[in-house]
Amino acid sequence: MTERECEAVTTLTGSTKRRRGGNQLRRIETRQALGFISPALAGLALFTAFPVVLSIAMSFYQWPAIGEREFVGLDNYVNLFQNHPDFIPALRNTIVFTLLFVPLNLVVSLTLALALAPRIRGRAAFRVLFFLPVVTPIVANVLMWKILLQPNGLLSGASSSLFGVTLPNFLAHPTWAMVMVVVMSVWAGMGYNMLIFSAALEQLPESVLEAARIDGAHGYRMLLRVIVPLISPAIFFATVMTMITAMQVFAQPQLLTGGGPGNSTMPLVMFIYNQAFTFQQMGLAAAAAWILFAFIITLTAVQFRAQKRWVHYEV
C-alpha cells in the first residue's frame, strides 16, 4: 500500500469515527429532549388528547352520567337538529351574538386605539382604564351590570328621576336581554383588542405616513386608504380570535340572564353545559360540542381563505 493510499484510509477511518460520534451525540440529545418534554407530552395526552377522543366516542352513544351506555350512531346529531326544542334556538342565539359582538367589538376597540394613538397626556392611564374590565373577574363585571340594569337599578332610577322616562326591564325582555349581553361583553372585552390595535399603530412606518400626507391623504382618506391596510394583519388576527371567543360565549349570559327569558339568550355552550351537567346527557352534549367545533373551524377556514384579498403583510 502506497503512502497516499495509507493517508486516504486514515482520512476515511477518521471521517467514519466522527460520523459515528455525531450520530451518538444526536441520539443522546434526542433522548435528553424527550426527557425534558415528556411531562408536557403526558399532560397534553391526559388533559387534551384523551378528552378529545373520549368526546368523539361519547357523541355516538347514549351516555348518561350514571347507568348503562348504548351505541346510537348518529342519532344524537340527528336528534339535535330534528327533535330537541332548545338546540336550534341556542345555535341561533350564538350566531346572533357573534354577528353583533364581533363587528361592534372591533369598531369600538379600533376607535379607542385611534383616539389614544397620539401622544396625548394621560394616554397610558386611559389604556389601563379601558383594559381593566378584561382583567376584572367576569362575576364582578356581571354584578355591576346587574345593579345597573335591574328594574330598580341605577339606570332605571336615573332615567325616571331625571327625565321621567320609565325604561323597560332589560334583562326580562327577549330582545333587550340579548342586546345587553352583547353590550356588556363588548365593554368587558374591548380592552384586549384595543391593545392589539395600539401596538399595530405604534409600528406604522412614519415614512409611509409622511408620503401619504404629501400626496394629500388626510382624515378618513388617510384612515381607510393607508392606516387600515397597514394594520390589516392585526385586524385579521383580532377578527379571528374575537369570532372564536364569541362562538364560545358562556359566562356573560349564564351570569347575567341565566339564558332567559325563556331561552332567548342561551348560547350553544350553555346548551352543552346544561345537557351535560343538568340533564346528565353526556352523549348529546358531546355531539353538540362537535357541531360547535365544526362551525368554528369552518368559519376560521373561511376567514383564512378570505384574508388573502384584504390583508397586506408587506409595506
Side-chain angles (χ1 to χ4, degrees):
M1 183 177 295
T2 64
E3 184 177 350
R4 181 171 297 178
E5 289 174 338
C6 289
E7 289 178 357
V9 170
T10 304
T11 304
L12 181 62
T13 305
S15 175
T16 304
K17 287 182 177 178
R18 284 195 297 274
R19 192 162 52 246
R20 288 177 179 172
N23 292 336
Q24 186 176 6
L25 181 60
R26 277 194 293 274
R27 284 196 292 272
I28 293 173
E29 289 177 343
T30 302
R31 285 197 292 269
Q32 290 176 341
L34 287 174
F36 280 116
I37 66 173
S38 57
L41 288 176
L44 181 68
L46 183 61
F47 297 110
T48 302
F50 175 70
V52 167
V53 173
L54 180 61
S55 69
I56 295 174
M58 290 170 69
S59 69
F60 297 110
Y61 279 80
Q62 186 178 0
W63 192 302
I66 301 173
E68 292 189 4
R69 298 145 194 168
E70 180 185 358
F71 180 76
V72 295
L74 295 174
D75 283 0
N76 284 331
Y77 294 90
V78 175
N79 288 334
L80 283 173
F81 283 102
Q82 293 186 350
N83 303 322
H84 205 291
D86 289 332
F87 178 73
I88 296 298
L91 183 60
R92 181 197 59 215
N93 293 336
T94 302
I95 295 172
V96 169
F97 177 85
T98 302
L99 291 177
L100 294 176
F101 174 75
V102 174
L104 197 57
N105 180 289
L106 294 176
V107 169
V108 173
S109 302
L110 184 57
T111 303
L112 288 176
L114 289 169
L116 297 177
R119 298 188 179 280
I120 59 175
R121 191 174 182 179
R123 182 175 67 160
F126 280 114
R127 285 179 174 173
V128 171
L129 188 65
F130 289 126
F131 192 72
L132 272 180
V134 178
V135 296
T136 304
I138 190 66
V139 175
N141 288 338
V142 171
L143 182 62
M144 187 192 73
W145 277 83
K146 271 196 168 183
I147 294 174
L148 284 174
L149 299 175
Q150 62 187 356
N152 296 319
L154 292 177
L155 198 58
S156 178
S159 175
S160 299
S161 59
L162 295 178
F163 307 107
V165 176
T166 302
L167 298 178
N169 187 352
F170 291 110
L171 301 182
H173 191 280
T175 303
W176 279 112
M178 175 59 80
V179 171
M180 289 303 146
V181 170
V182 172
V183 171
M184 197 218 79
S185 301
V186 170
W187 173 83
M190 64 185 180
Y192 180 78
N193 283 340
M194 181 201 69
L195 285 189
I196 292 175
F197 294 143
S198 296
L201 291 171
E202 294 281 347
Q203 302 300 319
L204 290 180
E206 189 58 36
S207 59
V208 176
L209 298 179
E210 187 61 30
R213 291 191 194 98
I214 293 174
D215 289 340
H218 297 284
Y220 282 106
R221 190 176 178 188
M222 170 72 90
L223 175 65
L224 298 178
R225 300 290 181 85
V226 181
I227 294 178
V228 168
L230 286 174
I231 65 170
S232 56
I235 296 175
F236 171 64
F237 171 78
T239 304
V240 172
M241 298 306 296
T242 306
M243 188 276 296
I244 293 174
T245 303
M247 294 290 289
Q248 299 179 77
V249 64
F250 171 72
Q252 297 92 321
Q254 171 75 9
L255 296 171
L256 191 63
T257 64
N263 56 14
S264 60
T265 59
M266 181 174 66
L268 205 48
V269 174
M270 187 187 295
F271 172 84
I272 295 168
Y273 174 86
N274 289 339
Q275 295 304 313
F277 301 108
T278 303
F279 304 114
Q280 309 296 320
Q281 296 295 328
M282 301 293 182
L284 208 61
W290 278 101
I291 291 172
L292 175 62
F293 172 78
F295 272 100
I296 292 175
I297 203 70
T298 302
L299 289 175
T300 304
V302 170
Q303 287 180 310
F304 269 88
R305 190 171 183 80
Q307 58 98 14
K308 297 176 183 176
R309 298 184 178 181
W310 66 276
V311 179
H312 307 278
Y313 289 101
E314 295 181 359
V315 177

